[in-house]
Amino acid sequence: MSAIKAENLTRRFGKFTAVDAISFEVEQGEVFGFLGANGAGKTTAIRMLTGLLMPSGGDAWVAGRSVRANPRAIKQVIGYMSQRFSLYEELRVEENLDFFAGAYNLDRETSRRRKEEILEQFGLEGVRRRFTRSLPLGWKQRLALGSALLHHPRILFLDEPTGGVDPLARRTFWDTIHDLAAGGATVFVTTHYMDEAEYCHRISIMNKGEIVALGSPLELKRQYGKDTIQEVFVQLIKSTG
Amino acid sequence: MRFNLLPIIRKEFIHIRRDPRSLAIVILLPIMQLLLFGFAIDMDVKNVPIGVLDYDRTPASRDLVRRFTGSDYFIQAAALQRRDQVEDLFKARQAKAVIVIPPDYAASLQRDPSTAVQILVDGSDSNTGAIILNAAQRLLTEASLERAGITDPPLQVAPAIWYNPEQESSHFIVPGLVAVLMMMICALLTSITITREKETGTLEQILTAPVHPSQLIIGKVLPYVGIAMVDAALVILVGIFGFGVPFVGSAALLAFFLLLYVVTSLSLGILISTVARTQQVSMMLAAMLTLLPSVILSGFVFPLASMPDVLQAVSRIIPARYFLVIIRGIMLKGNGFAVLWPQALFLVLLSVVLLAVSVKRFKTRLA
Ligand SMILES: Nc1ncnc2c1ncn2[C@@H]1O[C@H](COP(=O)(O)OP(=O)(O)OP(=O)(O)O)[C@@H](O)[C@H]1O
Ligand SMILES: [Mg+2]
């Protein structure tokens, strides 16, 4: 069973079709790069896959559960990091972790243990008492990823997790992503950095709501006769208008 | 899915604690309002300044003036010489009424005990004007009966105003204020706290966790139920001990109904939060939908019976209308559940409708 499977997944806002009948499968343990220009429909697709938004057509299955029929059943097994930083700025770092541990129904002992593990894993021990508001963006993103991992989700949705983060921090971020995948987690990640696309097992490229290419970075480069994903991307976006 | 409210409640308390100024405003505002209403807008007629225009200047006319100034209702602010001074007096706000005694007052009293004197009342504040006129009428009736030698008249109108014998306006204002302030504070606080999560994107983050929307809302709103109850208790206590408002009914019953009313008010706040996208908008909506309607259309300031039919109909969906009957009934009359249950039923109905619409709006937002 694939970790994520979408079949003609569609979302319309009024007359406008933001996601137009996309289909793909993501295997367990895979790092799947979800690329596309601004406004291509990536976030809209993720919001459907996480049960936040009802599809207008088609369906998708996350860990075998339909987002249409059973959006709530998805929530215990997924972790989500939204495009916009959305933890509580006015809470301290560890208060944010405490809160989300509670939201994931972890018992007291597990929450305490997971909190310490996350603080250590993401190098946040030194700032645990700091107000989240006062952290630099790169640290906030680490905290956001950390709190999305509190409950050991099998499937992770990361919407532009490295937006606005310096290159070194991006590198460590991707190391973490690969560690997670090596541990069996499936990672569904969007990015605008084409170098990051090369770190993915497979990528899809979206334009105007449709998936215009899908495959491993190597396959796509070969297929389009280019040296980098960047060039593949530019050509695809140009040719599909 | 476990229904675990504690983390949400705990977080809400952290938010409240981190913002002590807002909390102080929430607690102190009602008390300040009460003092303001209680002292400044005193609707009681006591020591009303009057002018005296005595053309007669006889012992009889002076006796009549003394009847007025010797009562609790009036004090003499000016003695006038000419009629045209009256307007200046009113314009300068030095008196609210003038008693005019005609030149032949004493003489005509000898002939006919039913002699006319004139009371001129500043009608720009019609409520006070009516009350002044009433008081003056009462004094004059007493005077004429005495002149006629009737100290114990065979027919008497004995107006007895029950439940508020001195017609103390604080007895009406304190319960009314509780109704208005609870409505406003609850709707405001809940709509703001929920809209804030929408605005900052944290709502979406929480909803990807196994947290049911209703769980989130109940957890967020519960702390405010507590705050609102404490607030109401404070206002009522200040009313009782500061303004001598009686409390003849059951405190437990009032607490029960208050809780119901708070739930109705919170439901309105929740509905507002499903409409408003920003905290500012929800603040405005909450103020607009609660403050004026609860003051004007509830029977707090203007009696419902004297309103046009349309407004009377509108008042039926104003929760404060029902709670006002409840709180006045319990505090002033000692009404019990047997009398007040229809009001409670309306509050339950309003809450159910408000919550049902909220749930529907919330679902379509996600769909
Ligand atoms: N709730 C909504 N109502 C109406 N239109 C929407 C809504 N959400 C998204 N859209 C539109 O759908 C399109 C796709 O938006 P989406 O956020 O999914 O793009 P994206 O690929 O994530 O872009 P970006 O790279 O900028 O994050 C955009 O044109 C956007 O304006
Ligand atoms: Mg996006």
Side-chain angles (χ1 to χ4, degrees):
Chain A
M1 182 187 71
S2 41
I4 308 171
K5 180 177 173 189
E7 261 181 26
N8 294 320
L9 191 64
T10 302
R11 174 67 204 206
R12 281 180 289 271
F13 295 110
K15 286 211 170 83
F16 175 71
T17 307
V19 174
D20 196 358
I22 58 172
S23 302
F24 58 84
E25 280 189 47
V26 181
E27 294 307 318
Q28 166 107 37
E30 195 172 16
V31 177
F32 188 83
F34 202 56
L35 312 189
N38 289 119
K42 304 180 295 292
T43 300
T44 307
I46 288 194
R47 295 183 67 219
M48 288 191 278
L49 294 172
T50 50
L52 284 171
L53 196 67
M54 200 44 98
S56 323
D59 201 350
W61 292 264
V62 173
R65 300 155 204 197
S66 156
V67 300
R68 203 165 242 282
N70 205 356
R72 281 209 191 107
I74 295 169
K75 304 191 179 202
Q76 197 62 257
V77 295
I78 62 163
Y80 170 59
M81 195 178 149
S82 79
Q83 179 168 358
R84 178 173 152 213
F85 179 74
S86 32
L87 301 190
Y88 294 92
E89 301 265 7
E90 63 276 26
L91 294 193
R92 297 179 198 281
V93 167
E94 62 177 351
E95 285 168 346
N96 262 308
L97 292 173
D98 286 336
F99 173 69
F100 282 100
Y104 283 114
N105 287 330
L106 304 188
D107 62 54
R108 187 187 284 233
E109 178 48 36
T110 319
S111 327
R112 206 193 49 74
R113 185 170 48 75
R114 283 300 288 154
K115 179 171 83 178
E116 296 306 325
E117 286 171 7
I118 298 285
L119 286 172
E120 199 205 313
Q121 185 182 352
F122 290 91
L124 295 165
E125 288 151 306
V127 297
R128 60 193 298 157
R129 302 283 300 156
R130 283 264 293 274
F131 283 105
T132 308
R133 186 189 295 116
S134 72
L135 295 181
L137 185 62
W139 295 54
K140 283 185 184 171
Q141 297 293 71
R142 260 144 64 194
L143 175 61
L145 180 58
S147 44
L149 293 175
L150 280 163
H151 56 305
H152 285 298
R154 304 205 316 256
I155 303 171
L156 264 175
F157 291 93
L158 310 178
D159 198 355
E160 289 189 39
T162 53
V165 172
D166 70 66
L168 191 68
R170 272 168 53 199
R171 189 64 215 226
T172 37
F173 217 96
W174 275 90
D175 287 342
T176 312
I177 288 175
H178 278 281
D179 289 346
L180 290 166
T186 306
V187 183
F188 188 96
V189 55
T190 77
T191 179
H192 283 296
Y193 299 108
M194 293 304 143
D195 57 324
E196 292 182 348
E198 311 269 1
Y199 306 145
C200 300
H201 298 134
R202 277 193 314 142
I203 57 176
S204 75
I205 297 179
M206 232 183 142
N207 192 26
K208 298 195 169 151
E210 293 179 50
I211 290 183
V212 290
L214 184 84
S216 73
L218 200 63
E219 282 165 15
L220 289 183
K221 282 184 282 191
R222 253 194 223 134
Q223 187 180 339
Y224 292 92
K226 302 283 181 193
D227 293 332
T228 60
I229 290 295
Q230 168 108 27
E231 292 167 54
V232 174
F233 185 85
V234 170
Q235 184 191 327
L236 271 169
I237 302 297
K238 270 189 188 154
S239 66
T240 52
Chain B
M1 194 182 299
R2 251 170 53 210
F3 205 78
N4 189 0
L5 289 176
L6 265 184
I8 296 164
I9 296 177
R10 206 178 293 136
K11 178 180 75 68
E12 203 59 32
F13 270 118
I14 296 179
H15 287 308
I16 295 170
R17 212 177 54 218
R18 296 265 156 85
D19 191 8
R21 224 176 322 156
S22 303
L23 185 63
I25 290 174
V26 166
I27 302 277
L28 292 181
L29 187 79
I31 306 272
M32 270 158 43
Q33 294 264 22
L34 178 60
L35 296 180
L36 204 76
F37 270 86
F39 289 125
I41 311 175
D42 195 352
M43 292 199 281
D44 300 335
V45 176
K46 268 194 197 124
N47 297 332
V48 176
I50 55 166
V52 175
L53 180 53
D54 182 0
Y55 289 115
D56 195 39
R57 296 168 197 279
T58 56
S61 72
R62 278 192 290 275
D63 178 62
L64 183 68
V65 171
R66 259 198 306 280
R67 263 184 195 282
F68 274 75
T69 53
S71 76
D72 283 344
Y73 303 122
F74 302 107
I75 50 169
Q76 182 169 345
L80 306 184
Q81 314 302 324
R82 296 184 319 275
R83 182 100 186 180
D84 56 4
Q85 291 173 311
V86 172
E87 194 166 354
D88 293 335
L89 195 67
F90 282 166
K91 277 193 177 152
R93 296 173 174 280
Q94 282 165 355
K96 285 190 180 300
V98 171
I99 169 167
V100 185
I101 304 176
D104 58 346
Y105 172 72
S108 65
L109 264 185
Q110 296 301 323
R111 281 176 271 118
D112 173 8
S114 64
T115 293
V117 298
Q118 189 176 31
I119 306 284
L120 298 168
V121 174
D122 176 359
S124 56
D125 174 358
S126 61
N127 253 337
T128 319
I131 299 171
I132 290 172
L133 213 52
N134 250 326
Q137 208 109 49
R138 199 169 339 150
L139 290 174
L140 288 172
T141 312
E142 273 173 33
S144 50
L145 285 172
E146 246 169 71
R147 292 259 3 147
I150 308 170
T151 43
D152 197 10
L155 272 178
Q156 281 192 40
V157 180
I161 297 178
W162 281 15
Y163 310 124
N164 189 359
E166 293 95 42
Q167 289 207 278
E168 290 276 358
S169 51
S170 65
H171 294 192
F172 281 100
I173 286 180
V174 169
L177 267 186
V178 174
V180 172
L181 292 171
M182 286 310 107
M183 186 78 211
M184 200 177 87
I185 288 174
C186 292
L188 201 67
L189 291 180
T190 43
S191 64
I192 287 179
T193 186
I194 298 173
T195 316
R196 182 175 56 201
E197 304 245 4
K198 241 162 85 170
E199 212 179 335
T200 55
T202 47
L203 182 66
E204 217 176 77
Q205 189 68 50
I206 296 177
L207 292 180
T208 54
V211 173
H212 194 272
S214 63
Q215 178 184 357
L216 177 71
I217 286 172
I218 293 172
K220 282 186 76 64
V221 156
L222 270 181
Y224 296 105
V225 173
I227 291 176
M229 294 297 282
V230 171
D231 233 3
L234 277 176
V235 174
I236 293 172
L237 285 177
V238 172
I240 294 173
F241 294 105
F243 292 93
V245 179
F247 196 122
V248 293
S250 149
L253 190 67
L254 182 60
F256 168 77
F257 283 127
L258 190 59
L259 201 61
L260 187 59
Y261 182 57
V262 164
V263 169
T264 315
S265 315
L266 296 172
S267 309
L268 179 65
I270 292 169
L271 180 60
I272 290 171
S273 72
T274 68
V275 179
R277 279 177 198 281
T278 66
Q279 294 179 64
Q280 234 133 13
V281 172
S282 70
M283 210 180 299
M284 262 171 39
L285 275 177
M288 221 168 65
L289 291 175
T290 57
L291 191 57
L292 276 185
S294 307
V295 170
I296 295 174
L297 295 174
S298 65
F300 174 21
V301 175
F302 306 113
L304 290 171
S306 62
M307 277 182 204
D309 290 347
V310 185
L311 290 186
Q312 286 199 35
V314 174
S315 80
R316 290 189 184 281
I317 58 164
I318 307 294
R321 172 198 166 135
Y322 303 103
F323 185 67
L324 209 59
V325 175
I326 291 174
I327 187 169
R328 282 178 178 164
I330 293 178
M331 286 182 73
L332 307 180
K333 303 187 213 170
N335 283 163
F337 191 82
V339 176
L340 298 173
W341 69 264
Q343 320 294 330
L345 189 67
F346 272 106
L347 286 180
V348 171
L349 255 165
L350 284 173
S351 312
V352 169
V353 170
L354 288 169
L355 285 176
V357 177
S358 307
V359 168
K360 192 158 180 329
R361 286 200 53 93
F362 204 83
K363 278 199 178 132
T364 46
R365 203 184 68 80
L366 292 179

